[in-house]
Amino acid sequence: MADIARRTEPRYGNRPTMKDVAARAGVGLKTVSRVVNGEPGVTPDTEHRVREAIEALGFRRNDSARVLRKGRTATVGLVLEDLADPFYGPLSRAVEEVARAHGALLFNGSSAEDPDREQELALALCARRVDGLIIIPSGSDHRYLEPEIRAGVATVFVDRPAGGIDADVVLSDSFGGARAGVAHLIAHGHRRIGFLGDRPGIHTAKERLRGYRAAMEDAGLDVTDAWVSLGPTDPERVAEAAEAMLSGPGAVTALFAGNNRVTVTAVRVLAGRGRPVALVGFDDIELADLLAITVVAQDAAALGRTAAERLFRRLEGADEPPATVVLTTRLIARGSGEIPPAED
């Protein structure tokens, strides 16, 4: 019966309090508070008794309550587009390292490319009193954050600009990177180049398409509608679009893939074809060096680090107009982008 009684007692959620520590050590609450917070005024013997009680009970200081009294929570939030996307791993890690260096914890979550979920997550983090937010936006209207920003929540956007508000933004040069990647294919003899991109409403997709068109125009090359496909990055859609571009009269001889997920699908499509087709992808991908994939690489860690450093500069009192920081990309030639066009 005793065992049954023990099993029915609540096991979780009953954390020991300073009152419990004080009762066990036979001292007052103020004495426990002084020991916990490293304040003077406690004899060595009393401090020893309090620390023994703390260890025996497994007590931990409630830092949330402590920092809230000081007006800061020492936490920041990171809203990503997709936690499963490898691109966001180094970005998130860089933000975490900067936060750690400033004595802050990082909370993150994924919007799953859903603007409503992005808003819900961002406001939920604000409700938990984070000091600042870093957001990779899915939506195009961020006026919902205006009250939070006015209340003092520092906010920085990454990879894509904010919509409807003035805010700090850190971007990669999507236009310049795509232009350089397509120009690289043109320099290796290609005149019919297909563009496989993300959804047309996304800032990076639009900028990379603009870079593609600029490179083609620079070379005096026309672009037909059949050579351009924007949409969801699921493998079925991308593979179907790639196969259509690679088939029939006037088929493209090269592909430019607009992001890492599109590149992976393009590699799979091209692996099943006997005829060589050149490929340049935007974003580096895992094993790209072994697969000899030419890419336009952006520095995800630098994006995260730059955004986090800007966020903490705001939190430390920097009073300056919102700015847009654009980081350069670099072309890494590994072989796939240097394949010449096959003879018709």
Side-chain angles (χ1 to χ4, degrees):
M1 292 294 292
D3 287 343
I4 293 173
R6 279 197 296 270
R7 285 199 294 271
T8 59
E9 291 176 359
R11 182 178 176 185
Y12 303 110
N14 296 321
R15 295 180 177 178
T17 65
M18 283 204 292
K19 185 176 180 181
D20 298 324
V21 173
R24 187 179 180 95
V27 299
L29 276 173
K30 183 62 178 175
T31 300
V32 175
S33 177
R34 287 192 177 115
V35 172
V36 168
N37 293 304
E39 298 172 359
V42 182
T43 66
D45 179 63
T46 300
E47 181 178 353
H48 179 71
R49 292 207 322 274
V50 171
R51 293 204 178 279
E52 279 191 333
I54 287 171
E55 184 175 352
L57 294 171
F59 169 81
R60 295 185 71 83
R61 182 177 66 185
N62 184 349
D63 280 343
S64 295
R66 180 170 177 262
V67 295
L68 278 170
R69 286 195 298 272
K70 295 184 176 183
R72 289 277 296 274
T73 61
T75 59
V76 293
L78 172 61
V79 179
L80 300 165
E81 183 192 54
D82 182 0
L83 286 169
D85 189 330
F87 173 77
Y88 294 119
L91 188 153
S92 177
R93 177 64 180 271
V95 172
E96 186 176 28
E97 288 301 316
V98 174
R100 183 170 178 268
H102 285 81
L105 290 174
L106 176 69
F107 299 141
N108 63 32
S110 170
S111 68
E113 304 181 48
D114 181 344
D116 292 335
R117 184 164 169 177
E118 173 208 303
Q119 178 174 340
E120 178 185 347
L121 178 56
L123 292 179
L125 289 167
C126 290
R128 283 158 178 77
R129 300 287 298 274
V130 294
D131 299 318
L133 285 173
I134 295 174
I135 299 176
I136 291 92
S138 295
S140 58
D141 185 352
H142 295 93
R143 288 174 293 179
Y144 69 85
L145 282 170
E146 285 180 332
E148 310 300 333
I149 294 171
R150 285 197 298 269
V153 180
T155 306
V156 178
F157 289 80
V158 183
D159 196 42
R160 304 163 190 170
I165 62 172
D166 289 328
D168 289 315
V169 183
V170 181
L171 306 171
S172 289
D173 185 6
S174 287
F175 169 77
R179 189 177 193 175
V182 176
H184 185 74
L185 290 168
I186 294 169
H188 284 82
H190 295 278
R191 298 296 178 265
R192 301 193 303 273
I193 301 169
F195 179 90
L196 294 164
D198 207 332
R199 291 169 296 152
I202 295 176
H203 171 79
T204 49
K206 290 187 288 189
E207 285 295 287
R208 291 167 197 176
L209 176 59
R210 194 167 69 88
Y212 160 81
R213 290 190 181 279
M216 297 293 277
E217 184 179 344
D218 292 342
L221 300 175
D222 293 328
V223 175
T224 70
D225 291 343
W227 297 353
V228 175
S229 179
L230 298 175
T233 57
D234 60 273
E236 293 77 15
R237 199 282 302 178
V238 175
E240 182 180 349
E243 291 286 4
M245 291 180 190
L246 294 165
S247 304
V252 300
T253 62
L255 292 173
F256 184 84
N259 67 26
N260 56 352
R261 287 166 289 187
V262 175
T263 301
V264 170
T265 300
V267 169
R268 291 195 172 110
V269 170
L270 297 182
R273 301 180 72 86
R275 189 174 187 178
V277 177
L279 171 68
V280 173
F282 202 109
D283 293 334
D284 213 349
I285 61 171
E286 190 174 4
L287 302 182
D289 53 340
L290 297 178
L291 296 171
I293 306 301
T294 296
V295 298
V296 176
Q298 54 179 333
D299 191 337
L303 281 169
R305 184 168 56 252
T306 304
E309 287 170 350
R310 192 158 195 86
L311 184 79
F312 280 98
R313 212 161 55 242
R314 291 287 186 195
L315 290 173
E316 289 163 2
D319 186 15
E320 55 195 45
T324 297
V325 179
V326 181
L327 305 183
T328 58
T329 59
R330 64 191 181 102
L331 181 75
I332 305 175
R334 296 190 177 114
S336 70
E338 297 71 60
I339 299 171
E343 295 289 338
D344 288 327

